[in-house]
Amino acid sequence: MARTNTIGPWGRPEAGPSPRRPRRRRRSARRQWLTGYAFVAPAVLLFLVMGLYTVGYSVTLSFAKWNGFTPDWEWVGLDNYRDLLYADPSLAPELRAAALHTAIAMIAVPLGTVAIALPLAVLLNRIRRLRGLLRSIYFLPYVTTGIAVYYAWRYVLEPDGAVNLLLRSTGLGSLARPQGWLADPDTALGTLIVIIIWGSVPVATLLYLAGLQAIDPHLIEAAQLDGAGGVRVVRHITWPLLVPITAAITLLGIRDTMQGFQIFLLMTNGGPGGHTDVLGLQAYQLAFFQGLSPTLGVASALGWMIFLAALLLTVVNARLLRSSQ
């Protein structure tokens, strides 16, 4: 095919576009496309094996009895779910008690987190000096949260720990717990809830602080010129604009309470007498601490019940958020 030349501005012929260039571009684009998919392929393959396969395996296992060692499963249909809900006289009461403790924590943790984090964020937003230092101090619990911190809390809450010593030294010895705060059935669950709130306040405070700094200051100045005090500004302007952040913090608190069982495992292991047993801990113990009993299917069924409950709460939270907007 003959190349077509055009006349340039100086009267000289100019070469037209070469037919090879589009072909080179397509080849280069195809090479880039293949290179990109080659980099993504391991992650996709890993997700298919560890994600979809595991989910499918877990769903199937929830309808069977298996101890993890025998070659064959015993297909029982919905019996695992019925045992968890009402049929098994030894399992169902423990599950109901664990569900009650989980529900208490699910309500108390988000409420406590919002009640502490929002005033802290408002205070930090008003402070001009040492703001960076105070942010670092408030964020420190989140950085240090982990197994080591949980063990440190155990030492602090023991019979001769710092909390009891502080109460006795200040004349409040009647409030001290001789057996320790985690070994007393009346204070064990509440103490764990306080520790969870302590760990979740830093992130919530930073989220609220970011939301406060995104509010148009002219809006608040206009309200103050109309005579609105600090409380009315927070109630009628700041709080409505922070509702989406509050919904996100609430959802995070519910998720951490339903899925996170590490703190309950490390600090009390469900004790004393099952007063700190939660659903996540129940599933963990049914799966790995029942010896040769065929409870893996029951643990899988409990995991799926927790997932469905979390999904339902997420949908309700999203609808409430949409209606508030």
Side-chain angles (χ1 to χ4, degrees), residues 7-276:
I7 303 302
W10 304 103
R12 297 177 181 175
E14 290 185 346
S18 173
R20 294 181 179 179
R21 289 182 180 176
R23 193 179 304 168
R24 290 177 181 174
R25 289 175 184 171
R26 286 197 299 270
R27 193 178 303 166
S28 176
R30 190 181 304 114
R31 190 180 301 115
Q32 292 178 359
W33 181 82
L34 290 175
T35 304
Y37 273 92
F39 277 105
V40 173
V44 174
L45 185 62
L46 185 64
F47 172 73
L48 291 176
V49 174
M50 302 299 293
L52 296 181
Y53 174 75
T54 305
V55 169
Y57 194 89
S58 174
V59 173
T60 308
L61 184 60
S62 69
F63 298 104
K65 295 283 186 185
W66 192 41
N67 61 6
F69 296 100
T70 56
D72 300 321
W73 296 359
E74 179 188 355
W75 187 263
V76 295
L78 294 174
D79 284 356
N80 287 336
Y81 293 91
R82 281 194 284 264
D83 289 343
L84 288 170
L85 293 175
Y86 60 88
D88 192 326
S90 62
L91 191 59
E94 293 183 1
L95 184 69
R96 284 195 287 270
L100 176 62
H101 300 152
T102 306
I104 293 173
M106 285 170 51
I107 296 172
V109 169
L111 286 178
T113 302
V114 172
I116 296 174
L118 181 58
L120 273 179
V122 173
L123 184 63
L124 282 175
N125 194 43
R126 291 180 178 177
I127 293 176
R128 301 299 177 190
R129 300 179 64 181
L130 301 177
R131 180 186 291 183
L133 177 62
L134 292 174
R135 284 184 192 174
S136 303
I137 292 174
Y138 284 119
F139 196 68
L140 195 60
Y142 184 78
V143 176
T144 56
T145 296
I147 295 176
V149 173
Y150 295 152
Y151 278 107
W153 272 107
R154 285 181 55 177
Y155 288 120
V156 170
L157 298 167
E158 283 184 347
D160 295 328
V163 176
N164 278 345
L165 289 176
L166 179 64
L167 290 173
R168 289 169 184 145
S169 62
T170 55
L172 300 174
S174 59
L175 298 178
R177 299 292 167 176
Q179 65 271 48
W181 289 79
L182 296 176
D184 191 329
D186 295 332
T187 58
L189 182 61
T191 303
L192 291 179
I193 289 173
V194 170
I195 295 173
I196 296 173
I197 293 173
W198 172 83
S200 59
V201 161
V203 172
T205 302
L206 287 184
L207 290 175
Y208 274 132
L209 195 58
L212 287 170
Q213 292 176 353
I215 296 175
D216 187 359
H218 296 93
L219 191 63
I220 297 177
E221 290 175 4
Q224 290 173 341
L225 289 175
D226 289 338
V231 176
R232 296 188 69 179
V233 168
V234 171
R235 181 182 175 186
H236 296 290
I237 296 178
T238 306
W239 174 253
L241 293 175
L242 294 179
V243 166
I245 295 178
T246 304
I249 292 172
T250 303
L251 193 60
L252 288 175
I254 292 173
R255 187 210 62 175
D256 292 341
T257 307
M258 293 194 74
Q259 294 183 348
F261 64 92
Q262 297 89 344
I263 183 172
F264 296 93
L265 174 67
L266 293 174
M267 300 193 71
T268 62
N269 197 18
H275 284 82
T276 59

